[in-house]
């Protein structure tokens, strides 16, 4: 759930967990006023599905700062080929036309930073510009009774992600680099270099959309799409979903879908961060989505936020013990 296993039939895109976006978070820095934290988590149940980031992929966080649903700023993360259990990440910041392309373009903000695959996070600061970065294996902050949801809301009290890990990409940036106004839109994308092309294989912003709203045969196409096209393409089929699951009228469904279509997470820095205004690590997004799709009939899955989060950067908890991959 959330954005975990966002390929068809509850599998990772292309069957590769390294290409599976799980969650996106946006909230103010706890350490430095005037900065924003962007977190892109990938690789559900890491590292059993993939022991490293995909070296042929571009992991990306996009920022719309003028309200046209297209990227004006983009932070791209690319990874070296793993060697002897080690891997390095380079971060680039693109603006303008380059931000709307899926390639890793723009100025280098961090170069060849080690990825932390052990318990302790590796935190680095840019010598200029007020950036912080930490990339590596962390505990999964998403919380939900997935078994209960699948079994017609027969709650089990079990948090499916209580002992799960992800690969976390955590970037703290100066607010001024996001745009001149406090209101922005944010979404993430993973693209893969293959056969001489760069193909989008996963994308999203709001949690738990594709699992509830997209038919299996649509999921791959959705993952290649652009948010600017979402309203035209998905308003009608998603309206039908809400009418079926929550007894919505057409008008009520249309108003409700304006919260999540286009699939861009809105964040106004002049207001407190709490989903759907940004998203913090403790926001109960599962209950929010259950309330939406059920038309208010189901309002919670009774699972609380995780307690292993760090109070300061990089915020994601230490990884849980895990069996060796394979």
């Amino acid at each position: 759930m959330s954005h975990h296993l966002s390929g068809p039939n509850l599998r990772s895109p292309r069957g590769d967990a390294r290409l599976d976006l799980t969650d996106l978070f946006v909230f103010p820095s706890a350490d430095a006023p005037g900065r924003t934290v962007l977190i892109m988590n990938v690789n559900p149940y890491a590292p059993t599905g993939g022991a490293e980031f995909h070296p042929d992929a571009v992991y990306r966080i996009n920022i719309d700062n003028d309200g046209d649903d297209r990227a004006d700023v983009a932070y791209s993360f690319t990874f070296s080929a793993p060697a002897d259990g080690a891997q390095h990440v380079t971060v680039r910041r693109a603006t303008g036309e380059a931000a709307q392309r899926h390639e890793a373009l723009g100025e280098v903000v961090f170069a060849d930073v080690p990825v932390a695959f052990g318990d302790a996070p590796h935190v680095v600061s840019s010598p200029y510009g007020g950036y912080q970065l930490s990339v590596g294996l962390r505990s999964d902050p998403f919380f939900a009774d997935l078994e209960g949801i699948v079994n017609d809301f027969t709650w089990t009290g079990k948090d499916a992600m209580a002992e799960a890990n992800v690969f976390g990409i955590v970037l703290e940036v100066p607010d001024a680099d996001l745009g001149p106004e406090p209101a922005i839109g944010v979404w993430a994308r993973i693209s893969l270099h293959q056969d001489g092309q760069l193909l989008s294989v996963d994308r999203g912003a709001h949690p738990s959309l594709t699992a509830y709203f997209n038919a299996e045969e649509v999921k791959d196409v959705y993952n290649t799409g652009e948010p600017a096209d979402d309203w035209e393409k998905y308003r009608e089929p998603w309206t039908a979903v809400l009418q079926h699951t929550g007894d919505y009228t057409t008008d009520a469904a249309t108003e409700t879908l304006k919260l999540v279509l286009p699939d861009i997470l809105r964040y106004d820095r002049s207001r407190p961060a709490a989903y759907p205004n940004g998203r913090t690590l403790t926001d109960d997004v599962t209950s929010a989505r259950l309330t939406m799709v059920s038309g208010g009939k189901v309002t919670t899955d009774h699972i609380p936020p995780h307690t292993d989060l760090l109070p300061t950067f990089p915020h994601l908890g230490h990884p849980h013990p895990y069996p060796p991959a394979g």
Side-chain angles (χ1 to χ4, degrees):
M1 202 56 65
S2 196
H3 207 70
H4 301 62
L5 307 175
S6 47
N9 303 308
L10 290 179
R11 297 176 62 85
S12 294
R14 299 189 168 229
D16 192 331
R18 298 173 298 174
L19 304 174
D20 195 334
L21 168 68
T22 65
D23 282 290
L24 177 70
F25 301 90
V26 187
F27 54 88
S29 169
D31 312 312
R35 297 184 190 177
T36 293
V37 177
L38 305 168
I39 299 180
M40 176 184 182
N41 288 340
V42 303
N43 197 355
Y45 306 106
T48 55
E52 69 280 323
F53 288 89
H54 201 304
D56 297 321
V58 177
Y59 299 81
R60 193 158 200 192
I61 299 174
N62 299 288
I63 311 294
D64 168 30
N65 60 29
D66 62 8
D68 67 353
D69 301 332
R70 300 185 186 278
D72 300 292
V73 180
Y75 297 96
S76 296
F77 308 84
T78 53
F79 294 84
S80 64
D84 299 323
Q87 199 171 25
H88 295 78
V89 58
T90 293
V91 183
R92 292 177 172 84
R93 177 181 183 270
T95 59
E97 187 274 336
Q100 295 182 19
R101 298 167 59 186
H102 297 173
E103 291 281 0
L105 302 172
E107 64 177 327
V108 174
V109 181
F110 292 96
D112 298 321
V113 174
V115 175
F117 291 116
D119 181 72
H122 178 62
V123 177
V124 293
S125 298
S126 173
Y128 61 93
Y131 287 85
Q132 282 198 106
L133 174 71
S134 184
V135 179
L137 183 68
R138 308 306 293 161
S139 70
D140 190 344
F142 181 63
F143 52 99
D145 184 347
L146 299 187
E147 183 178 343
I149 292 171
V150 171
N151 292 317
D152 295 323
F153 312 124
T154 303
W155 305 122
T156 68
K158 299 176 183 177
D159 180 356
M161 304 300 172
E163 298 182 0
N165 297 323
V166 290
F167 282 175
I169 298 173
V170 188
L171 181 67
E172 186 177 279
V173 306
D175 287 350
D177 281 15
L178 298 174
E181 302 297 328
I184 59 173
V186 187
W187 68 100
R189 185 182 301 276
I190 302 174
S191 302
L192 180 67
H193 285 282
Q194 188 175 62
D195 299 328
Q197 301 181 69
L198 183 63
L199 308 172
S200 176
V201 295
D202 204 358
R203 60 103 176 185
H206 287 276
S208 303
L209 289 187
T210 198
Y212 283 113
F213 287 103
N214 281 330
E216 300 301 335
E217 65 272 13
V218 175
K219 290 180 178 179
D220 281 340
V221 174
Y222 184 83
N223 287 335
T224 68
E226 296 292 342
D229 302 323
D230 283 348
W231 185 255
E232 180 179 350
K233 288 185 175 181
Y234 299 106
R235 177 180 60 83
E236 289 189 7
W238 289 21
T239 292
V241 171
L242 288 180
Q243 290 174 323
H244 174 71
T245 62
D247 297 323
Y248 282 77
T249 65
T250 299
D251 288 345
T254 297
E255 288 303 306
T256 298
L257 289 175
K258 288 178 181 179
L259 297 173
V260 295
L261 281 178
D263 190 0
I264 296 175
L265 184 59
R266 309 295 178 181
Y267 175 47
D268 185 341
R269 296 190 301 272
S270 68
R271 297 166 46 214
Y275 184 79
N277 184 49
R279 181 183 172 190
T280 75
L281 296 171
T282 57
D283 287 339
D284 189 356
V285 296
T286 297
S287 293
R289 193 62 64 241
L290 288 171
T291 301
M292 172 183 282
V293 300
S294 71
K297 300 181 186 70
V298 181
T299 59
T300 182
D301 67 343
H302 308 285
I303 301 297
H306 294 177
T307 59
D308 63 343
L309 304 172
L310 305 182
T312 58
F313 193 88
H315 303 286
L316 299 174
H318 297 297
H320 300 284
Y322 55 90

